[in-house]
Amino acid sequence: MDVTPAPARCRFCDAPLEHVFADLGMSPVANDNVPLSQANAMEPFFPLCALVCAQCFLVQLAPFETPKPLFREDYAYFSSYSTSWLEHCRRYTEQMIELLGLDASSQVIEVASNDGYLLQYFVEQDIPVLGIEPTANTAQVAIDKGIPTRIKFWGEATARAVASDTPADLLLGNNVLAHVPDINDFVEGMRIALKANGTITMEFPHLLKLIALNQWDTIYHEHFSYLSFATATRIFEAHGLRLFDVEELPTHGGSLRIYACHSDDPRQRSDAADELLERERAAGLEDVKTYLDFGARVVQDKRQILEFLIDLKREGVSIAAYGAAAKGNTLLNYCGVARDFLDFTCDANPHKQQHLLPGTHIPILAPTAIRDSRPDVVLLMPWNIKDELMQELSYIREWGGRFAARSPELRLFS
């Protein structure tokens, strides 16, 4: 009798998933920081394996079971703790107001609005907004700022409730499309809530950059999907929506901002959209071999990271980290880097301080710990904001301290 389990199915097109993109072993949930009181408790680990669909080329996590939801009421990620991200959002607001002619008669809806980090800028311009945010603690921060917010997950059901009284002129989502397990329900919800002539913008890390720059540490359990522009186009078209423009952004190591409308909207597709589709094809994103080759590069990178850190420790160098970012936890757990390499990490978010990193149990302290302990090297875990952090922490040069960050290989910066 054949006892081979059936392959997982693609979360978009339902084709069987038979090809591994990157297998990062067993890992804890990346944003599940451990309270000090639970330091000696058993900690769950789950498979962290990304697969690629040979039919639609959606890269996605293999299905796994978890005893509790990934996005909980006490979610620790607050968007407002990065000044460069806030500036990015302020500029986006100005751009959308001008591009779409938004005013007091318009309606802006943000999916996964977090702590109001972006909608606050529309509120300042007296433009009506509504945030949709499933995590109660971050949503409450937005509500306390005076930003109307519903504590809900986005999908068809929520969209129908929204569309009945506040359909969107602008419907946006930043770094959320990759986070949803049911991408079809999510995109169908956007179609339902969008006005006939409305505009959708979504930002997400670009799969082309992930592959080109070896950004495997952006894979973690809360990221269910990893998207190219071509695959996003297929998904939106399946739900009566059309991608008509795209911008390439530097955020999160290289992201896309896609622009979508209803399929019968007269707006023409831009040259930028056509050019990006062609560039993705030329880079091999429509060829399974491109995805299979990536896994071997991940293993090579792990070895380089370990050699780099081992060499520093052999020289007697003290190393602290900065950031309790999800990408950092993927790297540390996959590479097996714990307190034998890093004394502690720091994070500006007080909700993360006085906890331990998941899996490695490296202590998370306030940023003042760096000045107090004067480490020889500060490892910048959120390498996507490396320049911002190097400026913030420039005082480590007072004692000859140096920085380390992935760029894309892990290396030292003076």
Side-chain angles (χ1 to χ4, degrees):
M1 183 176 65
D2 185 7
V3 294
T4 304
R9 314 289 300 190
C10 176
R11 58 176 29 95
F12 165 55
C13 72
D14 201 42
L17 295 173
E18 301 172 323
H19 302 287
V20 174
F21 175 64
D23 187 348
L24 303 179
M26 300 293 289
S27 186
V29 175
N31 280 312
D32 219 357
N33 297 319
V34 179
L36 296 178
S37 62
Q38 298 295 309
N40 295 320
M42 293 290 287
E43 189 175 359
F45 279 58
F46 306 96
L48 187 55
C49 182
L51 308 174
V52 62
C53 176
Q55 183 166 304
C56 69
F57 299 102
L58 176 62
V59 173
Q60 56 203 279
L61 286 195
F64 60 93
E65 293 185 12
T66 174
K68 57 185 179 180
L70 295 179
F71 299 97
R72 306 181 311 279
E73 290 190 357
D74 60 342
Y75 192 52
Y77 182 77
F78 287 74
S79 296
S80 292
Y81 285 103
S82 169
T83 55
S84 61
W85 179 244
L86 290 177
E87 177 59 20
H88 169 78
C89 295
R90 187 191 62 77
R91 291 196 305 268
Y92 166 85
T93 302
E94 293 176 352
Q95 181 180 343
M96 290 303 108
I97 291 172
E98 181 177 356
L99 179 67
L100 303 176
L102 301 175
D103 57 26
S105 65
S106 306
Q107 179 66 55
V108 175
I109 297 175
E110 182 181 11
V111 179
S113 51
N114 200 263
D115 57 6
Y117 71 103
L118 185 148
L119 290 181
Q120 62 185 337
Y121 298 114
F122 284 109
V123 170
E124 288 176 0
Q125 300 300 318
D126 297 319
I127 295 172
V129 303
L130 175 63
I132 307 294
E133 171 54 50
T135 59
N137 62 326
T138 56
Q140 190 57 52
V141 172
I143 292 167
D144 291 343
K145 293 177 183 176
I147 298 169
T149 305
R150 298 188 190 184
I151 304 174
K152 295 283 187 182
F153 279 97
W154 184 257
E156 288 189 49
T158 300
R160 292 190 190 283
V162 167
S164 64
D165 53 19
T166 55
D169 294 281
L170 172 62
L171 177 56
L172 71 112
N174 288 336
N175 303 302
V176 60
L177 189 61
H179 286 71
V180 294
D182 190 344
I183 200 164
N184 286 311
D185 179 63
F186 185 90
V187 176
E188 179 63 16
M190 289 194 286
R191 183 194 65 79
I192 291 168
L194 187 67
K195 284 184 181 177
N197 60 346
T199 301
I200 294 169
T201 73
M202 289 273 137
E203 294 182 21
F204 51 82
H206 190 191
L207 179 63
L208 182 64
K209 288 290 189 181
L210 188 157
I211 293 173
L213 299 179
N214 229 23
Q215 296 170 347
W216 53 265
D217 52 352
T218 60
I219 298 172
Y220 56 96
H221 291 117
E222 293 167 15
H223 270 177
F224 290 95
S225 301
Y226 303 83
L227 294 150
S228 65
F229 185 61
T231 296
T233 297
R234 294 185 183 102
I235 294 170
F236 277 68
E237 283 180 350
H239 293 277
L241 296 167
R242 187 168 54 81
L243 302 192
F244 66 90
D245 200 4
V246 63
E247 290 180 73
E248 296 178 73
L249 308 171
T251 53
H252 299 286
S255 296
L256 297 182
R257 177 185 294 153
I258 58 172
Y259 291 76
C261 58
H262 287 288
S263 57
D264 58 357
D265 190 292
R267 281 175 279 190
Q268 297 296 306
R269 190 162 71 181
S270 70
D271 291 342
D274 289 333
E275 188 275 334
L276 182 55
L277 286 171
E278 180 54 40
R279 185 150 35 98
E280 288 186 345
R281 278 192 292 270
L285 295 196
E286 303 281 295
D287 183 350
V288 167
K289 185 178 184 300
T290 301
Y291 300 88
L292 299 182
D293 290 346
F294 182 74
R297 290 167 49 202
V298 171
V299 173
Q300 293 171 359
D301 203 37
K302 173 179 180 175
R303 293 170 182 158
Q304 184 269 331
I305 289 167
L306 285 170
E307 289 169 356
F308 175 90
L309 293 174
I310 288 169
D311 287 346
L312 287 180
K313 296 308 290 184
R314 281 178 175 158
E315 295 169 8
V317 170
S318 60
I319 311 173
Y322 190 97
K327 58 174 59 69
N329 288 324
T330 292
L331 183 148
L332 297 176
N333 282 286
Y334 175 58
C335 294
V337 173
R339 294 197 69 180
D340 47 349
F341 288 98
L342 305 181
D343 298 333
F344 60 86
T345 192
C346 294
D347 201 281
N349 183 346
H351 300 274
K352 295 183 179 184
Q353 295 166 14
Q354 300 306 310
H355 285 71
L356 307 172
L357 292 180
T360 60
H361 284 206
I362 294 168
I364 308 171
L365 307 178
T368 53
I370 290 177
R371 190 180 288 277
D372 294 341
S373 63
R374 298 164 70 93
D376 299 313
V377 171
V378 176
L379 174 60
L380 304 177
M381 304 308 297
W383 44 259
N384 54 298
I385 54 171
K386 170 179 65 70
D387 293 341
E388 174 185 336
L389 293 178
M390 287 178 64
Q391 183 174 352
E392 235 176 78
L393 304 172
S394 60
Y395 59 81
I396 73 168
R397 298 185 180 98
E398 295 171 7
W399 59 82
R402 294 176 292 173
F403 298 100
R406 297 194 68 210
S407 184
E409 287 191 345
L410 182 59
R411 65 186 184 89
L412 289 170
F413 295 84
S414 299

